[in-house]
């Protein structure tokens, strides 16, 4: 639970929130910011921000009030996890059947106190992002909306069928609890893990790497050839 409490403000406010911040909108989408300045926040009575633009300003990285508060709440979530788990991440007090630490009344009181602060923040947090995303949906709701193409290598081997041989990979791949597959054009293209493996290519000349101009290595090739 503590991990989820630290992760939500970290992801939504600290890492992703600046995408909708005043400084970013002012530079890349000034028309959206102007509209935000005129739009009242529906749940302002719960979170205290009068307009959507006020929320955007509060999400400015390093200086925004909401960004800074989320940073504190994220740290608090880590403290909650560390209190029970010894440290976070990579906890060291969890053992099969429980935890290898004797919890005291003081530990539980500290945890309850930090949890109450998260409960209070969560009520504001949810209402803030309800207002923000409802507004942004008018501008970015169709972003990324395209034909569905999915690829999965599957996972969780069928232990009775797995033999680690490449020649049999198509057979034992299909026995995985989550079956491999490629889905495109509204249908499954293949479930054969060998076909999937051979069908994935990474071309250096289609990546962000620059050509190896002047490279004097073997063959004297550039990355784009």
């Amino acid at each position: 639970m503590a991990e989820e409490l630290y992760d939500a403000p970290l992801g939504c406010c600290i890492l992703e929130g600046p995408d909708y911040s005043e400084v970013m909108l002012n530079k890349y989408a000034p028309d959206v910011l102007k509209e935000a300045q005129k739009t009242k926040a529906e749940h302002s009575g719960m979170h205290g921000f009068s307009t959507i633009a006020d929320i955007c300003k509060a999400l400015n990285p390093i200086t925004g009030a909401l960004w800074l508060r989320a940073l504190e709440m994220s740290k608090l979530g880590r403290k909650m996890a560390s209190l029970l788990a010894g440290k976070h991440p990579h906890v060291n007090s969890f053992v099969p059947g429980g935890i290898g630490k004797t919890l005291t009344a003081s530990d539980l009181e500290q945890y309850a106190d930090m949890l109450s602060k998260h409960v209070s923040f969560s009520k504001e947090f949810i209402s803030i992002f309800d207002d923000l995303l409802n507004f942004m949906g008018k501008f970015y709701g169709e972003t990324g909306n395209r034909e569905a193409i999915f690829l999965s290598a599957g996972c969780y081997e069928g232990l009775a069928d797995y033999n680690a041989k490449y020649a049999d990979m198509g057979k034992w791949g299909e026995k995985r609890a989550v079956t491999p597959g490629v889905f495109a054009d509204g249908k499954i293209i293949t479930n054969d893990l060998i076909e999937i493996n051979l069908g994935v290519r990474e071309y250096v000349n289609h990546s962000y790497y620059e050509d190896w101009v002047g490279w004097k290595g073997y063959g004297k090739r550039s990355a784009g050839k």
Side-chain angles (χ1 to χ4, degrees), residues 18-83:
D19 289 349
Y20 305 105
S21 66
E22 180 187 60
V23 291
M24 293 296 287
L25 292 178
N26 189 50
K27 183 174 182 179
Y28 296 107
D31 55 328
V32 176
L33 181 59
K34 288 180 181 178
E35 189 67 25
Q37 292 167 344
K38 298 183 292 183
T39 304
K40 297 292 184 181
E42 182 181 352
H43 300 100
S44 60
M46 297 182 67
H47 52 62
F49 296 105
S50 299
T51 66
I52 300 299
D54 291 334
I55 297 175
C56 297
K57 182 177 181 179
L59 286 171
N60 284 342
I62 310 300
T63 61
L66 181 57
W67 193 93
L68 290 171
R69 190 174 177 203
L71 185 63
E72 288 299 318
M73 297 309 297
S74 183
K75 289 165 59 179
L76 197 63
R78 289 180 182 271
K79 288 181 180 179
M80 293 171 69
S82 299
L83 182 65

Side-chain angles (χ1 to χ4, degrees), residues 157-188:
E157 306 293 356
L159 299 182
D161 303 285
Y162 179 73
N163 62 11
K165 293 182 179 179
Y166 181 83
D168 298 329
M169 188 165 71
K171 296 178 181 178
W172 53 254
E174 285 200 48
K175 299 296 183 179
R176 288 178 168 176
V178 178
T179 308
V182 175
F183 179 91
D185 299 324
K187 59 185 178 182
I188 295 176

Side-chain angles (χ1 to χ4, degrees), residues 91-121:
V91 300
N92 59 12
S93 67
F94 282 16
V95 296
I99 60 174
K101 174 182 177 178
T102 301
L103 294 178
T104 66
S106 177
D107 290 334
L108 297 177
E109 288 175 1
Q110 290 181 61
Y111 193 93
D113 178 62
M114 291 186 283
L115 179 59
S116 67
K117 294 177 182 177
H118 266 289
V119 171
S120 177
F121 176 71

